[in-house]
C-alpha cells in the first residue's frame, strides 16, 4: 500500500498502517516464568541498574558489582586498560572481569549476568588480528545475501572467541543523501535490498530461530539500527531531522525492520535523529505503538550514545521521557552514574511508572535467557575462546573476506581494454592508498574514526599493493611501489590507488559530493602518468559515491573498490589475468547507490525530479562489455573550495571565512592580515614559520606585562554539541619553544561573556620543547569550563604571558593526538 505524503501531517503516526508482525520465537512459558520469578525478587535499584548501559572507559567491574548494571559497551575509542588497540586475550580478560562482578552476590545483589556490546560493523573491527570485511556500502554492490549471511556467521565466531556476546549491528539505514558521513554503514539506497540483507545478516549473527544454533555458543545478539529515518535527514546531516512523510518513513527507512524482527533480532537501537522535529529517543508513537505493539518486537529497545540527552527537557543524566517513550535501556557511556541516581528517584516517585520499568526489565532478562547467559558461565568458558588463535583471522574467514572484495568491485570505465592486466608486465602501483591498510578499511576500524594507525596494527592483513605484488611476481612480472608516481623503470601500466581518508559518523558529513575540494593531488597524479603515455587504472577507495568526473576522465579504467577491509589481494584477483592469460575473476559488483553527475547533485533526489545521475543504480561493467566511456563533463556545479567542516586553521592560515585575531594586554584587538604583525602594545607578536613547507606555520611570542591572546574567529557561530557528546577533541599541531611560569590557557568563546577556558600550564610543562606534536583537548573540557558548545564564535583561543613562545600550523577537530590533555574537572592537573 502506498500512502501519499500529506503536508503538515508527517509527525502523525498511524500504527495500523505499518506492517504487522510478531516474534518468530514461539511462546516459551518456562522462560517467561523464570523472567517473572527473577523480577519478583529484584529491588527497584536492581531493576534500574539493568536499564542502564555504561562504557568501559567510564565504568569498572566494581561499579557493576555495586550498581548491578545490566550491560556495558565498548565505544569506538574504548579499549581494555585505556589502550588504543587490543588483542583477544585483553578483551577476554576484561569481559570475564565484568561478568564475575555481575555474578558477585557478596553484597546482597542478585546474580544477573552482564551483557557486553560492541560495534562489530565490518567484522570484529575492534580486535587486532581480526578479519575485516568490506564496509556495508561495498557489500550492497555484491547483491549476494548468502555472502552477507556467511559474513555474519564469521563475525559472530570472532566476537565469541574474544569474549564478546553482543554486536551493535546490522545497520539497516537506507541512505538517501550520501553527503551523510554514515552512508557507508548502509547497504544501499534501495529499501528492497536492505530488507533482503536484513534477513541474511541477522540470521548469520544470531542463527536461525527455532534451530539449536539460534543464539548458541557460536552466535551473538544482533542489533538492528538506527530506528528510524537516520538515512533520510535533511541535507544528509548526521543526527539531523528526517522531513519525510509517514509513508516514506515506513516504506523506505523502516524497510529492514520487519524482516529483521522476523529473523529474530533481539535488540533494536533507536536513532539519534528526529522525524519531523521530534527526537526519536522520545517518540513513543514509533517506539511503543509501532515497533513494539504493531511490529511485535519483544526484545530490547536500546538508546544510542547519550542520545536521550538531546530530547527536549532531558540531559545526559536525566531523561524519564525516553524510558516512558519505550526505551528499555539507555546508553549512558560517561553519564551513567547520574542517570542511575535520577532514574531511581523518578521510579520511586512514579515519574516512570513501575509497569514501564517491569516491561523494560522483562525484555532485558528475556534476551539474556534466550542467549543462555545464566548457564553459560564466564565468557572465557565459551569453547571458541580456547581456540581463539585458530578462529580469529582464520584462513577460512580471510578467504570469505577476499571473496567479498572480489564481488563488491564496480567497474565504471575500461577504455581500450586496459583491464584485465597481464601480470607478466612491469606494473607501477601508486597513490597513498596503495600500501595503506587503514585507508582501505575506513572508519570503525580499531579506533572510532579509523585513524592514527599503521600497517603494523593489522597483523595478517594484506594491503592492495602487497596483493598485487604477490600475484605479479608469481606470474613472472615485476611490480614497483611509488606513492607519488615516480618510477625507476617506465611501467607498462600504472595502478593508482587513492580515495577518502578514514572517518566515522558526523566527522564524514559533507556540504556537497566533491572529492577533496581544493586538493587536486590525486587528479594531478593520474594526469601526470597518463601524460607520459602510461595506461592508468584508477582504484578508488571510498565509502560512498562522489563526483569523480575529472578523475574518471584522467584514467583509462576506473574501479570503485569502496572500503574493502583487510584482504586487499581480492583486488588483484580481479584486475590481473592469471599467468597463463585467463580471467580468473570477472567484475561482479553493481552500484547499490547511483553516482552523481555533478558535485551538487544528490542522485536519489535528482532521480525523483526526472534527472539522470552519471551512473545509475545497478550500473557496473564486466569484461564482456565493450565500448569506451567518453569524456564526462567536468563542470562540478559548485565552487571547489577547500573549506571543510571542523578545520579552523590549516597550513598556517585561517580556514576559509575564519579570521586570526590578536588581543594585547591593553585589550586592543585586531585581525592579522599579513605577517609579521603585533598587538598595539607589543605584548604578542606573530610571524611566518616553516614546518613542512615554506611559511606553513605561524610563530607566536609573548612579552611585557599582563596576558595577551591569539584566537580564531568563526564566520558564524559553530554548533559542536554533537562532537562534544562524541568525545571529539580540539587538536592543535604545534611546537612549544618556551613557556611562561605564569601558565597558559586554551579556550573557546561563545559570544559576549561566554567562554570556556582550560588552564594547561602544568600539563604543557611536561611536553618536550622544540618538537612538533598534535595536542588534543577533549571538547568536553570546554563544556565543563562553562562554554556553550552549540554556539562557538571563537573555536580556539590561546592566552599566554610574557616569555611564552610557540608555533602553530593546524587547528581542527579530531580524535587522534600525540598527547591528550586531561580536563581539570575530570582529575587532570591544570
Amino acid at each position: 500500500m502506498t500512502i501519499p505524503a500529506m503536508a503538515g501531517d508527517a509527525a502523525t503516526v498511524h500504527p495500523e498502517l505499518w506492517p504487522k508482525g510478531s516474534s518468530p520465537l514461539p511462546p516459551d512459558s518456562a522462560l517467561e516464568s523464570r523472567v517473572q520469578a527473577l523480577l519478583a525478587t529484584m529491588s527497584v535499584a536492581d531493576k534500574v541498574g539493568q536499564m542502564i548501559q555504561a562504557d568501559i572507559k567510564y565504568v569498572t567491574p566494581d561499579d557493576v558489582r555495586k550498581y548491578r548494571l545490566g550491560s556495558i559497551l565498548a565505544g569506538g575509542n574504548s579499549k581494555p586498560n585505556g589502550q588504543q588497540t587490543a588483542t583477544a586475550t585483553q578483551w577476554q580478560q576484561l569481559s570475564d572481569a565484568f561478568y564475575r562482578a555481575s555474578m558477585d552476590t557478596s553484597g546482597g545483589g542478585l546474580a544477573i549476568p552482564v551483557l557486553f556490546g560492541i560495534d562489530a560493523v565490518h567484522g570484529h573491527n575492534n580486535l587486532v588480528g581480526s578479519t575485516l570485511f568490506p564496509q556495508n556500502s561495498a557489500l550492497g554492490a555484491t547483491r549476494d545475501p548468502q555472502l552477507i549471511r556467511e559474513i555474519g556467521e564469521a563475525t559472530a565466531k570472532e566476537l565469541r572467541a574474544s569474549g564478546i556476546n553482543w554486536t551493535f549491528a546490522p545497520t539497516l539505514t537506507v541512505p538517501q543523501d550520501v553527503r551523510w558521513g554514515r552512508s557507508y554503514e548502509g547497504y544501499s539506497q534501495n529499501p528492497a535490498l536492505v530488507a533482503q540483507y536484513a534477513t541474511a545478516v541477522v540470521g548469520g549473527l544470531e542463527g536461525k530461530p527455532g534451530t539449536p544454533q539460534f543464539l548458541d555458543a557460536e552466535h551473538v545478539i544482533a542489533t538492528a539500527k538506527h530506528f528510524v529515518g537516520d538515512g533520510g535527514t535533511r541535507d544528509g546531516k548526521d543526527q539531523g531531522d528526517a522531513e519525510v512523510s509517514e509513508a516514506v518513513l515506513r516504506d523506505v527507512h523502516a524497510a529492514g525492520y520487519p524482516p529483521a524482527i522476523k529473523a529474530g533480532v533481539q535488540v533494536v537501537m533507536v536513532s539519534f535523529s528526529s522525524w519531523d522535529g521530534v527526537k526519536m529517543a522520545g517518540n513513543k508513537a514509533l517506539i511503543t505503538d509501532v515497533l513494539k505493539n504493531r511490529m511485535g518486537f519483544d526484545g530490547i529497545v536500546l538508546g544510542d550514545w547519550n542520545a536521550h540527552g538531546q530530547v527536549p527537557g532531558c540531559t545526559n543524566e536525566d531523561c524519564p521521557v525516553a524510558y516512558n517513550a519505550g526505551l528499555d535501556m539507555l546508553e549512558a557511556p560517561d553519564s551513567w552514574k547520574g542517570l542511575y541516581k535520577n532514574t531511581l528517584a523518578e521510579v520511586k516517585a512514579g515519574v516512570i511508572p513501575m509497569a514501564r520499568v517491569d516491561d523494560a526489565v522483562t525484555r532485558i532478562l528475556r534476551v539474556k535467557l534466550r542467549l543462555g547467559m545464566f548457564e553459560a558461565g564466564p565468557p572465557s568458558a565459551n569453547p571458541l575462546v580456547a581456540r581463539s588463535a585458530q578462529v580469529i583471522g582464520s584462513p577460512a574467514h580471510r578467504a570469505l573476506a577476499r571473496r567479498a572484495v572480489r564481488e563488491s568491485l564496480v567497474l565504471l570505465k575500461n577504455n581500450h581494454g586496459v583491464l584485465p592486466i597481464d601480470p607478466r608486465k612491469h606494473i607501477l602501483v601508486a597513490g597513498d592508498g596503495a600500501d595503506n591498510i587503514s585507508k582501505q578499511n575506513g572508519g570503525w576500524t580499531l579506533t572510532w574514526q579509523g585513524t592514527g594507525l599503521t600497517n603494523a596494527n593489522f597483523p595478517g592483513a594484506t594491503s592492495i599493493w602487497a596483493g598485487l605484488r604477490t600475484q605479479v611476481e608469481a606470474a613472472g612480472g615485476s611490480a614497483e611501489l611509488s606513492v607519488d608516481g615516480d618510477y625507476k623503470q617506465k611501467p607498462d601500466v600504472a595502478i593508482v590507488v587513492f580515495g577518502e581518508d578514514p572517518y566515522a559518523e558526523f566527522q564524514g558529513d559533507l556540504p556537497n559530493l566533491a572529492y577533496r575540494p581544493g586538493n587536486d593531488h590525486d587528479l594531478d597524479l593520474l594526469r601526470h602518468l597518463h601524460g607520459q603515455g602510461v595506461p592508468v587504472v584508477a582504484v578508488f577507495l571510498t565509502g560512498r559515491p562522489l563526483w569523480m568526473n575529472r578523475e574518471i576522465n584522467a584514467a583509462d579504467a576506473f574501479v570503485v573498490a569502496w572500503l574493502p577491509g583487510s584482504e586487499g589481494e581480492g583486488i588483484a584477483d580481479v584486475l590481473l589475468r592469471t599467468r597463463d592469460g585467463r580471467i580468473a575473476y570477472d567484475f561482479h559488483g553493481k552500484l547499490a547507490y547511483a553516482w552523481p553527475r555533478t558535485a551538487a547533485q544528490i542522485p536519489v533526489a535528482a532521480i525523483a525530479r526526472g534527472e539522470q545521475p552519471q551512473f545509475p543504480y545497478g550500473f557496473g561493467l564486466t569484461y564482456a562489455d565493450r565500448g569506451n566511456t567518453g569524456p564526462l563533463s567536468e563542470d562540478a556545479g559548485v565552487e571547489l573550495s577547500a573549506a571543510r567542516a571542523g578545520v579552523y586553521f590549516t597550513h598556517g592560515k585561517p580556514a576559509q571565512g575564519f579570521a586570526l585575531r590578536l588581543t594585547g594586554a591593553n585589550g586592543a584587538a585586531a585581525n592579522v592580515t599579513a605577517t609579521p604583525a603585533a598587538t598595539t602594545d607589543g605584548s604578542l607578536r606573530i610571524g611566518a614559520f616553516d614546518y613542512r613547507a615554506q611559511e606553513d606555520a605561524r610563530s607566536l611570542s609573548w612579552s611585557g606585562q599582563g596576558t595577551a591572546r591569539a584566537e580564531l574567529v568563526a564566520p558564524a557561530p559553530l554548533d559542536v554539541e554533537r562532537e562534544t557528546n562524541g568525545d571529539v577533541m580540539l587538536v592543535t599541531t604545534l611546537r612549544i619553544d618556551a613557556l611562561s611560569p605564569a601558565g597558559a590557557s586554551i579556550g573557546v568563546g561563545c559570544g559576549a561573556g561566554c567562554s570556556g577556558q582550560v588552564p594547561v600550564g602544568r600539563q604543557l610543562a611536561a611536553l618536550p620543547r622544540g618538537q612538533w606534536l598534535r595536542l588534543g583537548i577533549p571538547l568536553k573540557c570546554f563544556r565543563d569550563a562553562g562554554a556553550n558548545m552549540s554556539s562557538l564564535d571563537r573555536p580556539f583561543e590561546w592566552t599566554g604571558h610574557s616569555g611564552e613562545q610557540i608555533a602553530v600550523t593546524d587547528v581542527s577537530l579530531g580524535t587522534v593526538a600525540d598527547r591528550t590533555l586531561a580536563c581539570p574537572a575530570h582529575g587532570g592537573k591544570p
Side-chain angles (χ1 to χ4, degrees), residues 698-712:
R698 293 293 179 264
S699 63
L700 295 163
S701 58
W702 283 258
S703 62
Q705 300 297 314
T707 62
R709 183 174 67 251
E711 58 191 0
L712 294 170

Side-chain angles (χ1 to χ4, degrees), residues 113-373:
V114 65
L115 280 166
F116 196 152
I118 202 165
D119 288 281
V121 296
H122 67 120
H124 190 354
N125 44 264
N126 286 281
L127 173 63
V128 170
S130 66
T131 309
L132 298 171
F133 295 93
Q135 298 273 8
N136 286 354
S137 58
L139 296 178
T142 69
R143 304 297 202 277
D144 190 343
Q146 180 57 33
L147 172 66
I148 306 307
R149 180 181 297 275
E150 292 176 27
I151 288 173
E153 292 171 348
T155 301
K157 289 177 181 177
E158 297 203 11
L159 280 162
R160 283 292 210 167
S162 68
I164 309 295
N165 55 20
W166 179 10
T167 175
F168 301 139
T171 302
L172 299 181
T173 183
V174 188
Q176 301 296 284
D177 185 338
V178 293
R179 289 178 295 180
W180 184 36
R182 303 194 76 158
S183 292
Y184 66 78
E185 296 184 49
Y187 293 113
S188 176
Q189 70 184 46
N190 182 354
L193 182 59
V194 173
Q196 185 182 38
Y197 275 21
T199 300
V201 67
V202 171
L205 289 166
E206 293 189 343
K208 185 177 180 180
T211 70
Q213 289 73 42
F214 182 68
L215 293 181
D216 67 4
E218 295 192 352
H219 292 88
V220 297
I221 293 171
T223 305
K225 66 181 190 183
H226 303 88
F227 187 84
V228 63
D230 55 343
T233 60
R234 182 177 181 178
D235 298 328
K237 183 179 180 180
D238 190 46
Q239 303 179 18
D241 190 12
E243 299 171 351
V244 299
S245 69
E246 183 181 8
V248 170
L249 190 72
R250 179 198 64 204
D251 297 339
V252 175
H253 299 289
Y257 291 92
I261 293 169
K262 188 175 181 180
V265 74
Q266 292 298 292
V267 180
V268 172
M269 182 183 287
V270 171
S271 180
F272 264 110
S273 58
S274 304
W275 176 49
D276 203 29
V278 179
K279 279 290 178 183
M280 276 303 309
N283 196 318
K284 183 177 182 180
L286 286 170
I287 296 170
T288 298
D289 299 342
V290 170
L291 177 62
K292 290 183 171 181
N293 297 340
R294 180 67 177 177
M295 292 185 176
F297 177 65
D298 68 354
I300 301 168
V301 178
L302 172 70
D304 207 339
W305 183 284
N306 276 334
H308 56 274
Q310 297 184 8
V311 176
C314 290
T315 68
N316 291 351
E317 296 185 342
D318 188 10
C319 194
V321 175
Y323 284 121
N324 288 337
L327 270 72
D328 304 310
M329 183 184 290
L330 295 189
E331 197 171 281
D334 57 347
S335 57
W336 66 269
K337 192 171 289 187
L339 182 66
Y340 175 90
K341 177 182 177 182
N342 290 320
T343 302
L344 182 59
E346 287 155 355
V347 172
K348 290 180 176 179
V351 176
I352 303 173
M354 187 56 69
R356 173 76 271 273
V357 173
D358 285 346
D359 172 58
V361 178
T362 293
R363 290 167 173 271
I364 294 165
L365 296 175
R366 179 185 293 139
V367 170
K368 291 184 177 185
L369 285 166
R370 284 173 174 171
L371 188 61
M373 293 185 70

Side-chain angles (χ1 to χ4, degrees), residues 45-135:
D46 289 334
K47 293 176 181 180
V48 170
Q50 289 294 305
M51 298 164 64
I52 291 175
Q53 184 178 70
D55 185 270
I56 61 170
K57 186 187 293 186
Y58 306 100
V59 70
T60 66
D62 283 340
D63 290 327
V64 169
R65 184 178 292 107
K66 177 179 179 180
Y67 293 92
R68 318 310 294 176
L69 300 182
S71 69
I72 55 170
L73 81 147
N77 281 335
S78 300
K79 304 294 186 295
N81 305 316
Q83 299 177 174
Q84 182 186 36
T85 60
T87 64
T89 298
Q90 291 165 331
W91 283 117
Q92 293 160 4
Q93 291 172 345
L94 183 68
S95 187
D96 268 5
F98 277 109
Y99 170 83
R100 286 193 296 268
S102 71
M103 301 301 285
D104 185 349
T105 60
S106 60
L110 289 173
I112 300 178
V114 65
L115 280 166
F116 196 152
I118 202 165
D119 288 281
V121 296
H122 67 120
H124 190 354
N125 44 264
N126 286 281
L127 173 63
V128 170
S130 66
T131 309
L132 298 171
F133 295 93
Q135 298 273 8

Side-chain angles (χ1 to χ4, degrees), residues 75-77 79 84-85 121-122 125-126 132 135 184 436-455 457-458 500-505 507 563 774 814-816:
N77 281 335
K79 304 294 186 295
Q84 182 186 36
T85 60
V121 296
H122 67 120
N125 44 264
N126 286 281
L132 298 171
Q135 298 273 8
Y184 66 78
N436 190 332
I437 299 174
S438 172
K439 185 160 182 156
Q440 71 192 43
N441 274 280
W444 294 111
T445 304
L446 299 187
T447 65
W448 173 35
Q449 295 292 319
T451 53
L453 304 165
T454 69
N455 285 1
N457 295 120
F458 299 91
E500 289 190 292
D501 292 323
Y503 57 85
E505 299 191 63
Q507 296 285 78
L563 299 172
R774 292 169 299 176
T815 60
V816 177

